[in-house]
Amino acid sequence: MRKFTFLITGSLLLFAITGCTTVKRFKTADYKGADNSLVDVELFNTRLSGEPVVVQEKNLWTLSANAQTRMVQILDERYPDNEQFLGAVSGSFGANEVKVQELTRKDLRMVFTISKNRDYSKLNDALGRFSPADRIEYLRLSLEIPDSYNLRFHEWNRYVTEYGEIDIADVSFSRSLELSLDGIPGSTDMGSETALSRNEKQVVSKRYLKLNGSISDHLAVIESEGTREVDLTGNVIADVSMIFDGFPEMVVIPVFSDSGVGGEAAEVAALKFVDVVVPAMDDAPDTLYAILTLEYIYRHVQSGWKTFAEWDDKVEYYQGYVSKKVPLFLKKDYLPRLFCIGTDQGGKSALKFRKSPGKEYLLQFRDHLDASRFLEWLRNPARMQADPVFIGSSKLLYKGDPITPGEVVENQLKVLPVY
Amino acid sequence: MYYLIVRNLGVPRCVDRNEKDMYEDEMAFDCTPNIECDPKEFVKEVEITCTEHPDDPIVAMVFRD
């Protein structure tokens, strides 16, 4: 009987030392299978930056009248030879080279919104899968771009893994053991008492994976881990840069003389040709889509959710998967903003120019203002209405034939977007 | 007359023309011209590269008038 009592006391003591703590993740935990209805994800995109602006080249004609006079004097002193002087006057200065304009890069702020489905109507339902203590414990987001778009991820701001740390508890262990022996071995009475006590203090904290990610040409993956009191419901933001494959285009920048100041119409002194690169894609779909996928682990507290502490929770884990097609770019977001002069009546026809025999190019402008000013210059009633238009050595064409200012007015040509 | 037409962002563009059908796969062309052409009959598709982007082959169409 005494031996039995000793065993019970020892067991209770052991239980008190090891079992009676609130620093536990749960009371019980079971994996309950797949349920794809517990969590949802949405993607919201914001464009971070526009396309780079063409820097107009500086030359003699872009200067003010005073600066022009002074520049001519300087060049005259520097180049006494007539040919050299003319070369210097017609050349450019300042930023001599206009770089190729890349219109293929798009910077996006992607906001992933992760939400829990909160079905309060089944709060006390044994079969319900929602309680106020539930949380998304793990998620893995991926965004995949179809190969057919010739679009790829270039870089983003998620190269460094973010870790979080939480202090879970200050734990104090106090163990005491008292042994008492009492017996009569042989004919001698013996008694002994021993006491052992030990105090131990620990700070329990945990480092967890707050946010991690990887990026490749067609796939961006974000991974996040929750922990005690950290639910992953909310927004995850990533700044992403994407690049389309390139297709070559040539745009013109009209260089206007400064004579528009005194009421006279500005004259086109020269056309500057700039190479640009636009997205390479056979067609131009209204919307470019990506595949957004969310894999998650959902921690449902089946009982014990009345307390904030988690040690008494009976936890059920569910695994889920959500996949959907999400719009990435609308047509207006990815088409380059180039402008031409023409008409869209009876099929689109636009002005072209011939630089050399057999080499004709579309007369397209990088911005609407340039195109409007050029059209205004073409329509100027002071021009010879019946003479073909030349700019330098380039001849202006419409439907394959030279065009006159009179025909520009007659055909009601206007500024149109190229795409 | 034979015409070589490339299509980008839904917009077709005639980049070259020749009296003979000299267009074959793996040929390289300047893709920036936009020549006036009158394509009437489809002849074939060829995979060409633009001289500006030699690493990215594109599908072009050959037409004749």
Side-chain angles (χ1 to χ4, degrees):
Chain A
M1 184 63 190
R2 189 167 289 168
K3 191 178 174 184
F4 186 65
T5 309
F6 183 73
L7 272 175
I8 290 175
T9 310
S11 299
L12 284 173
L13 194 64
L14 194 65
F15 176 76
I17 290 170
T18 60
C20 231
T21 172
T22 59
V23 190
K24 294 202 311 185
R25 291 172 193 272
F26 39 70
K27 187 176 178 184
T28 61
D30 292 303
Y31 175 67
K32 290 287 185 178
D35 188 339
N36 299 332
S37 66
L38 300 171
V39 179
D40 200 8
V41 62
E42 297 291 338
L43 174 62
F44 172 73
N45 284 337
T46 313
R47 199 168 163 183
L48 283 181
S49 62
E51 289 153 353
V53 177
V54 172
V55 178
Q56 293 205 355
E57 193 170 353
K58 299 287 181 193
N59 61 23
L60 185 67
W61 310 109
T62 60
L63 299 177
S64 66
N66 288 340
Q68 275 183 359
T69 310
R70 182 72 190 123
M71 181 59 81
V72 168
Q73 286 170 352
I74 291 169
L75 294 176
D76 183 43
E77 288 165 15
R78 193 169 292 174
Y79 303 103
D81 177 73
N82 200 35
E83 202 170 311
Q84 282 185 336
F85 171 75
L86 287 174
V89 166
S90 60
S92 59
F93 47 86
N96 282 328
E97 198 176 327
V98 178
K99 289 179 181 172
V100 173
Q101 299 287 312
E102 298 273 353
L103 307 180
T104 53
R105 178 174 165 151
K106 304 289 170 193
D107 293 340
L108 284 183
R109 171 156 291 169
M110 300 198 305
V111 183
F112 300 94
T113 302
I114 296 125
S115 57
K116 276 188 308 200
N117 294 331
R118 299 162 197 268
D119 191 357
Y120 280 87
S121 66
K122 292 183 179 170
L123 200 57
N124 288 309
D125 190 336
L127 297 174
R129 289 176 183 174
F130 172 71
S131 83
D134 287 5
R135 66 167 192 257
I136 304 167
E137 190 159 293
Y138 170 82
L139 60 84
R140 185 178 184 275
L141 278 166
S142 63
L143 191 71
E144 188 181 0
I145 305 171
D147 289 349
S148 59
Y149 291 157
N150 296 334
L151 174 67
R152 64 182 192 275
F153 289 110
H154 178 55
E155 58 185 14
W156 68 345
N157 65 340
R158 290 287 175 199
Y159 290 111
V160 179
T161 301
E162 285 180 34
Y163 290 102
E165 195 161 293
I166 55 163
D167 290 333
I168 295 170
D170 288 337
V171 185
S172 177
F173 293 99
S174 179
R175 309 178 194 195
S176 64
L177 191 63
E178 287 183 16
L179 287 174
S180 171
L181 290 174
D182 192 8
I184 311 170
S187 57
T188 314
D189 273 351
M190 286 185 70
S192 172
E193 283 188 0
T194 305
L196 177 68
S197 69
R198 183 177 175 189
N199 286 321
E200 190 179 335
K201 280 194 174 179
Q202 287 184 7
V203 175
V204 181
S205 59
K206 189 194 176 199
R207 186 193 197 206
Y208 64 99
L209 181 70
K210 214 168 172 181
L211 208 59
N212 188 32
S214 65
I215 193 169
S216 60
D217 275 1
H218 294 107
L219 187 69
V221 178
I222 291 172
E223 195 183 21
S224 189
E225 183 185 65
T227 186
R228 183 171 163 152
E229 306 300 336
V230 179
D231 183 14
L232 300 181
T233 303
N235 288 353
V236 177
I237 298 174
D239 291 342
V240 179
S241 176
M242 297 174 174
I243 288 188
F244 287 94
D245 285 354
F247 188 85
E249 290 278 5
M250 186 193 286
V251 298
V252 295
I253 301 173
V255 181
F256 291 93
S257 65
D258 201 31
S259 56
V261 178
E264 295 174 38
E267 275 293 315
V268 175
L271 283 183
K272 188 76 198 168
F273 305 106
V274 179
D275 290 324
V276 298
V277 181
V278 302
M281 217 185 315
D282 195 23
D283 279 318
D286 288 339
T287 310
L288 299 187
Y289 291 96
I291 306 297
L292 174 64
T293 304
L294 170 69
E295 294 165 57
Y296 61 86
I297 298 291
Y298 188 86
R299 184 188 193 272
H300 168 57
V301 180
Q302 207 273 329
S303 72
W305 51 266
K306 288 169 189 163
T307 58
F308 278 100
E310 295 194 340
W311 64 273
D312 59 344
D313 290 352
K314 280 183 79 174
V315 175
E316 292 178 349
Y317 281 109
Y318 293 91
Q319 196 167 11
Y321 175 88
V322 179
S323 184
K324 55 176 73 173
K325 209 166 139 182
V326 290
L328 205 56
F329 294 108
L330 298 178
K331 210 169 183 174
K332 67 179 177 60
D333 296 324
Y334 75 87
L335 285 183
R337 289 162 195 246
L338 301 180
F339 298 90
C340 61
I341 294 170
T343 176
D344 45 12
Q345 290 174 348
K348 194 172 181 178
S349 301
L351 291 181
K352 295 178 184 176
F353 62 96
R354 184 181 291 150
K355 276 177 79 176
S356 56
K359 288 285 183 186
E360 296 161 17
Y361 300 86
L362 182 67
L363 185 77
Q364 53 186 344
F365 303 86
R366 183 66 186 86
D367 64 55
H368 195 279
L369 181 66
D370 275 357
S372 299
R373 285 188 76 190
F374 190 86
L375 181 59
E376 192 184 334
W377 170 78
L378 270 180
R379 285 197 213 139
N380 186 352
R383 299 176 58 79
M384 299 295 285
Q385 296 295 301
D387 289 353
V389 180
F390 279 88
I391 302 138
S393 59
S394 300
K395 185 188 279 186
L396 219 54
L397 305 170
Y398 183 63
K399 296 184 177 176
D401 297 318
I403 190 167
T404 63
E407 287 166 336
V408 171
V409 177
E410 192 182 309
N411 286 291
Q412 298 180 336
L413 300 189
K414 57 184 181 180
V415 176
L416 300 170
V418 174
Y419 297 105
Chain B
M1 188 70 80
Y2 288 84
Y3 304 105
L4 182 68
I5 294 179
V6 297
R7 187 180 160 91
N8 193 46
L9 297 172
V11 179
R13 172 197 303 183
C14 185
V15 295
D16 196 61
R17 66 182 162 204
N18 201 292
E19 288 180 358
K20 292 179 181 172
D21 180 11
M22 43 80 75
Y23 303 110
E24 300 291 342
D25 286 341
E26 297 178 15
M27 292 175 91
F29 292 89
D30 176 4
C31 290
T32 52
N34 196 325
I35 299 164
E36 203 64 33
C37 63
D38 185 21
K40 286 183 178 152
E41 191 183 336
F42 174 75
V43 177
K44 62 184 177 186
E45 275 188 354
V46 286
E47 196 174 75
I48 63 160
T49 55
C50 297
T51 47
E52 301 83 357
H53 294 93
D55 296 332
D56 302 323
I58 58 170
V59 175
M61 290 173 292
V62 180
F63 280 81
R64 70 175 164 213
D65 53 12

